Amino acid sequence: MNHAWKRLRAEGVDVWIDVSATAEGAAREVRRALAQGEVAGARMGAPQDDPAAGDAPADELRRACDQLLPHHRASGGTKGFVSAPLPPAPTDDTDAWTARARALRDAVDRPNLVVRLPAEAADTATLRALFALDVAVEVSGVCSPRRYGQAATALLAALSTPEGPTRTASFLSFDVTGVERHVDARLDLIGSDEAKALRGRAGLASARLAHRTHEMTFSSARWGALAAAGTPEPKLLWVTGGASPYRSAHYVQELVTRGTATAMRPAAARALAEAGTVSGDRVWRHYADAERTLAYLDWFGISVETVTRNPQQKRTETAAPRATARPHRAAHHPHRRLTPA
């Protein structure tokens, strides 16, 4: 077994394999990952859009689900999942998302399928409708602590249905790479040494504060009543697939904390095995440092919430720092690379 994956499991982190852009060859990627060690889940890319492909995406998803089905059964339905995105459609109302989820569920017909929808569409009504289909759900594309709190609150409300608490698994995925990409682009526009010292820090800081929000949301009395009724706690899933393999592996080792899951591309898993160090929790004790990082960004006029909400919008009017003084300690936390540059 891959030593790094074994260490992640020992720290209470589930390892998911993040399959590349499409579902084509998904089962093969999952099979290769299983040869490296225990895989708790797989996260698929978007299905093929070519009508000539017929049922190929569904066939690939079924094969991937079958690869992980023994683990799903052995874990009592807590692991061995395969997450697949719901296809786009002209409308994004509850009925449209429900129809797409029902079609995918019926096409794949496996108990370990997870349907994935974007956070902006995951209101309480839509999530309840999906849970009524008895299918696991992943809320994806969250890129800020505040938006994570909104998604977690909607999910918490949805888990309590008029028919009673759901027993269906659910996941909240945080896009670590997306945060860093947008924030670093703003820091590059500023270009000062102080701004450069903050590069590579926004993703981890935001992810750690999202974890704090998760812990607060799912330690409430409202959640306690659902947990007592047998509702599985939603799992926080770190997503780092948009980064280079070694950068992604760096995220993985810096976001180790019990009860979470991390989705890695195969190349990132290899990088973690070659050069990674998995040793103890690296989230809980870094909340204060994460707050300082976001405060430094605010000093430069950069809001993680705003930048990630409008990634295409150019905000050159706030690209320059508001003062010439060096922010306190901003340059004393250089990015720790997985391996030397």
Side-chain angles (χ1 to χ4, degrees), residues 152-166:
T153 299
L155 183 54
L156 178 59
L159 289 171
S160 179
T161 67
E163 293 75 25
T166 181

Side-chain angles (χ1 to χ4, degrees), residues 55-101:
D55 292 331
D59 289 341
E60 285 293 325
L61 285 172
R62 275 194 295 270
R63 285 193 284 270
C65 286
D66 288 342
Q67 294 278 350
L68 289 169
L69 194 54
H71 189 33
H72 183 71
R73 289 170 175 161
S75 67
T78 62
K79 298 181 181 180
F81 292 101
V82 176
S83 172
L86 293 175
T91 61
D92 285 329
D93 56 21
T94 295
D95 290 342
W97 285 112
T98 305
R100 281 173 270 176

Side-chain angles (χ1 to χ4, degrees), residues 206-260:
S206 299
R208 285 164 173 157
L209 294 180
H211 179 268
R212 183 176 66 178
T213 298
H214 183 98
E215 292 296 298
M216 293 173 63
T217 303
F218 297 103
S219 62
S220 63
R222 186 178 187 183
W223 165 250
L226 291 171
T231 301
E233 180 176 340
K235 180 155 287 190
L236 171 52
L237 174 64
W238 311 115
V239 177
T240 63
S244 67
Y246 282 91
R247 185 64 182 161
S248 178
H250 172 76
Y251 291 141
V252 170
Q253 71 177 20
E254 292 298 317
L255 291 173
V256 170
T257 189
R258 187 166 297 278
T260 60

Side-chain angles (χ1 to χ4, degrees), residues 119-149:
E120 57 267 22
D123 55 41
T124 298
T126 300
L127 290 170
R128 280 183 175 169
L130 297 184
F131 287 136
L133 298 175
D134 194 28
V135 62
V137 175
E138 177 193 338
V139 178
S140 70
V142 181
C143 290
S144 78
R146 180 182 175 189
R147 291 165 73 188
Y148 191 92

Side-chain angles (χ1 to χ4, degrees), residues 11 25 29 36 53 107 119 128 173 177 216 222 238 270 273 288 314 327:
E11 296 292 344
E29 295 287 352
Q36 297 296 315
R128 280 183 175 169
S173 58
T177 309
M216 293 173 63
R222 186 178 187 183
W238 311 115
R270 290 191 292 270
K314 304 299 182 182

Side-chain angles (χ1 to χ4, degrees), residues 2-211:
N2 180 305
H3 175 68
W5 292 21
K6 187 175 182 179
R7 286 294 302 151
L8 286 170
R9 286 183 55 205
E11 296 292 344
V13 178
D14 287 345
V15 177
W16 286 41
I17 186 69
D18 193 344
V19 178
S20 56
T22 69
E24 183 179 1
R28 181 176 62 254
E29 295 287 352
V30 173
R31 184 167 57 251
R32 289 175 178 173
L34 285 169
Q36 297 296 315
E38 182 179 302
V39 175
R43 197 170 187 270
M44 303 298 160
Q48 297 175 4
D49 294 326
D50 183 3
D55 292 331
D59 289 341
E60 285 293 325
L61 285 172
R62 275 194 295 270
R63 285 193 284 270
C65 286
D66 288 342
Q67 294 278 350
L68 289 169
L69 194 54
H71 189 33
H72 183 71
R73 289 170 175 161
S75 67
T78 62
K79 298 181 181 180
F81 292 101
V82 176
S83 172
L86 293 175
T91 61
D92 285 329
D93 56 21
T94 295
D95 290 342
W97 285 112
T98 305
R100 281 173 270 176
R102 182 183 294 108
L104 185 60
R105 179 203 64 181
D106 293 346
V108 176
D109 192 26
R110 296 295 186 273
N112 53 337
L113 174 70
V114 180
V115 297
R116 185 162 79 242
L117 77 164
E120 57 267 22
D123 55 41
T124 298
T126 300
L127 290 170
R128 280 183 175 169
L130 297 184
F131 287 136
L133 298 175
D134 194 28
V135 62
V137 175
E138 177 193 338
V139 178
S140 70
V142 181
C143 290
S144 78
R146 180 182 175 189
R147 291 165 73 188
Y148 191 92
Q150 293 170 343
T153 299
L155 183 54
L156 178 59
L159 289 171
S160 179
T161 67
E163 293 75 25
T166 181
R167 302 295 180 90
T168 307
S170 56
F171 303 87
L172 284 156
S173 58
F174 191 91
D175 183 4
V176 185
T177 309
V179 178
E180 197 152 289
R181 180 172 63 251
H182 298 312
V183 171
D184 282 2
R186 296 289 306 282
L187 292 170
D188 288 341
L189 286 175
I190 296 171
S192 66
D193 290 342
E194 292 86 353
K196 291 177 182 178
L198 289 172
R199 293 190 85 261
R201 294 175 57 186
L204 288 175
S206 299
R208 285 164 173 157
L209 294 180
H211 179 268

